Amino acid sequence: MPDGNDIQVRMCEVKLGSGNDVLRAILGSCVGIGLLWRKRGLYAMAHCLLPEPPQAPAGEGAKYVTDAVPTLFSMMGLERARQDEVEAVIAGGACMVQHATPPRHGLIGEQNARMAQQLLAQTRIKLVHVDVGGESGRQLVIDCAQHQFVVKTIGRST
């Protein structure tokens, strides 16, 4: 991969990529949100731990889905008028822990995925791929040079 970086997007991070960069995130119950602005050759990914903060908005970053979406827009310089030029992919949100009975507050992976989809539905961005839920982890990869993404399922070892 000449002239490019392999950019690992770790938990609670937001990263940008362009040129020959490759953005990657390994996701379990966390949700990954990838934005592809092919027209500008600009790509971004957030790796979100929780759907929303327990109180007022926390601010910038990707710990919470509710903060990650505006942070992605800000980092990309994406104005509402240009949102229709951008595509989104959401992956992750799996149930990685076996529960005897479902938690009272619900499954965090499901909440993460639902919040990401709700927030993107309020924009002009086209959601082109959703791969969430189940009991398997995923890897979300955005290859900036190829202008493509891929979601790979990571099987659970028995």
Side-chain angles (χ1 to χ4, degrees):
M1 187 174 39
D3 301 325
N5 295 310
D6 190 18
I7 302 170
Q8 296 296 320
V9 184
R10 293 181 175 81
M11 194 180 305
C12 304
E13 290 184 340
V14 180
K15 298 283 178 92
L16 289 177
S18 62
N20 289 325
D21 294 336
V22 177
L23 298 164
R24 300 177 192 274
I26 303 291
L27 307 158
S29 61
C30 289
V31 71
I33 304 169
L35 297 183
L36 297 87
W37 199 349
R38 292 181 172 106
K39 186 173 182 177
R40 291 233 172 136
L42 187 59
Y43 303 85
M45 188 183 298
H47 185 153
C48 308
L49 179 66
L50 297 166
E52 59 188 331
Q55 298 182 344
E60 289 192 357
K63 181 175 183 178
Y64 304 105
V65 174
T66 54
D67 294 335
V69 171
T71 299
L72 284 163
F73 292 0
S74 175
M75 288 178 71
M76 293 179 84
L78 180 58
E79 301 162 356
R80 183 156 180 82
R82 311 291 304 254
Q83 287 178 357
D84 59 344
E85 298 175 2
V86 177
E87 296 175 333
V89 58
I90 299 173
C95 178
M96 301 304 292
V97 178
Q98 299 300 316
H99 298 280
T101 59
R104 176 175 44 89
H105 53 78
L107 298 173
I108 200 69
E110 289 177 4
Q111 293 175 41
N112 285 335
R114 188 170 40 253
M115 180 63 73
Q117 290 175 69
Q118 287 174 357
L119 290 175
L120 287 172
Q122 297 170 13
T123 71
R124 297 175 61 209
I125 292 171
K126 182 178 179 185
L127 186 55
V128 295
H129 188 80
V130 178
D131 189 350
V132 297
E135 296 180 352
S136 296
R138 292 169 178 84
Q139 180 183 41
L140 174 57
V141 179
I142 298 176
D143 184 328
C144 302
Q146 299 299 316
H147 311 288
Q148 296 179 352
F149 68 89
V150 65
V151 179
K152 301 175 185 174
T153 300
I154 301 169
R156 197 184 270 258
S157 59
T158 54

